[in-house]
Amino acid sequence: MSAPVRLAKRVSELARCSRSEAEQYIEGGWVSVDGRVVDMPQHMVTSEAVELDAAARLAVAEPATILFHKPAGLDAFSMSDAALPYVDAATRWNEDPTEVRLLQRHFHRLTPLAPLEPEASGLIVLSQDGRVWRRLTEDLDGIEQEFVVEVSGEMPFYGMQRLKHGLQYDGHTLPPCKVSWQNEVRLRFAIKGVRPGQLRDMCAQVGLGVVWIRRLRIGRVSLAKMPVGAWRYLPVEDRF
């Protein structure tokens, strides 16, 4: 039996390329070991069959950002890995419009961003990308988010105007936001700087109870028609 060697070394010999190019092939998901894709250049191999996909191309591996339709009741932000059991190859949206190759390393070190209260459903972001992290932490208060809220009860005639501007939350006067009726029982909010619990409190201040909340959009990135529990990739060129 041959001595164990790093997969990158074996691919470098197989493809007659540099070690750094071999690492790019591996991290791009173009290399299989005994028929199984392995995307870790440091993976050790001995006598296994190592193959390089005929369609392989060199490209720097980009960090992954995943858009997940969080179900109501899941606290995805109490622990950084709370949502990970729900995000795997089986739950990728079958209509994901991106052409990103699914790799196991995409599920490592994902940070949940743009907090959403556990009782709410809708769009959350899980990312390995430091640029996305900065955008959705340092700049989040300036990014408009869109929610639909199903409500119960009767709102007084002045309630809509107060929802748009004139309420307080946590001791602070809230800035103006956009609010409209989607139908007889659902309100649509387009709002900046929203905090977990804020929409429920705003509705309560105008006599409405909240049945459920769903986040539809963060900036220019929307949930679209992705079903609950599914996820898709955010293309690297897309911005919030």
Side-chain angles (χ1 to χ4, degrees):
M1 182 179 293
S2 57
V5 297
R6 285 166 55 94
L7 181 59
K9 183 176 187 299
R10 179 67 60 80
V11 172
S12 176
E13 296 169 348
L14 179 69
R16 297 182 180 179
C17 63
S18 69
R19 190 73 60 87
S20 63
E21 289 174 331
E23 290 178 353
Q24 287 186 37
Y25 283 134
I26 296 166
E27 291 175 348
W30 300 107
V31 175
S32 62
V33 178
D34 281 349
R36 180 176 64 88
V37 172
V38 175
D39 55 22
M40 304 297 288
Q42 67 271 27
H43 180 81
M44 303 302 289
V45 295
T46 52
S47 58
E48 297 94 333
V50 176
E51 294 185 12
L52 178 64
D53 193 307
R57 55 185 174 83
L58 288 172
V60 176
E62 294 283 354
T65 295
I66 285 173
L67 307 175
F68 176 49
H69 190 161
K70 184 186 84 68
L74 171 61
D75 185 354
F77 294 87
S78 60
M79 296 184 295
S80 61
D81 59 352
L84 294 190
Y86 300 83
V87 179
D88 57 25
T91 56
R92 183 179 184 179
W93 186 26
N94 58 13
E95 296 183 26
D96 184 349
T98 70
E99 296 181 356
V100 178
R101 293 168 60 83
L102 188 151
L103 303 172
Q104 285 305 308
R105 62 181 175 78
H106 290 163
F107 305 114
H108 302 157
R109 297 188 180 92
L110 287 169
T111 300
L113 301 167
L116 184 65
E117 62 185 79
E119 295 79 9
S121 65
L123 178 64
I124 70 167
V125 180
L126 306 165
S127 185
Q128 302 170 333
D129 194 329
R131 296 163 297 185
V132 175
W133 181 89
R134 284 189 293 274
R135 178 67 173 151
L136 295 185
T137 53
E138 298 174 2
D139 302 333
L140 184 60
D141 283 352
I143 299 175
E144 185 176 81
Q145 301 181 47
E146 187 174 352
F147 296 82
V148 61
V149 182
E150 184 162 312
V151 296
S152 61
E154 295 292 330
M155 184 166 62
F157 72 92
Y158 57 82
M160 181 62 74
Q161 190 56 42
R162 289 198 67 204
L163 283 174
K164 293 179 179 180
H165 192 207
L167 298 179
Q168 291 192 341
Y169 180 68
D170 199 23
H172 301 282
T173 299
L174 296 172
C177 64
K178 304 168 190 173
V179 189
S180 61
W181 285 106
Q182 185 183 59
N183 59 30
E184 294 181 351
V185 295
R186 293 179 185 174
L187 288 166
R188 187 180 291 261
F189 288 79
I191 188 168
K192 295 180 180 180
V194 65
R195 300 289 186 267
Q198 180 180 322
L199 294 178
R200 294 179 185 276
D201 188 79
M202 291 174 68
C203 290
Q205 289 185 57
V206 295
L208 297 175
V210 169
V211 180
W212 53 257
I213 297 173
R214 179 175 299 135
R215 180 159 62 188
L216 304 178
R217 175 174 59 85
I218 303 172
R220 290 171 287 194
V221 175
S222 70
L223 191 62
K225 296 180 180 180
M226 189 165 61
V228 176
W231 64 272
R232 66 179 176 90
Y233 286 106
L234 177 74
V236 174
E237 65 273 12
D238 283 10
R239 297 288 183 267
F240 289 93

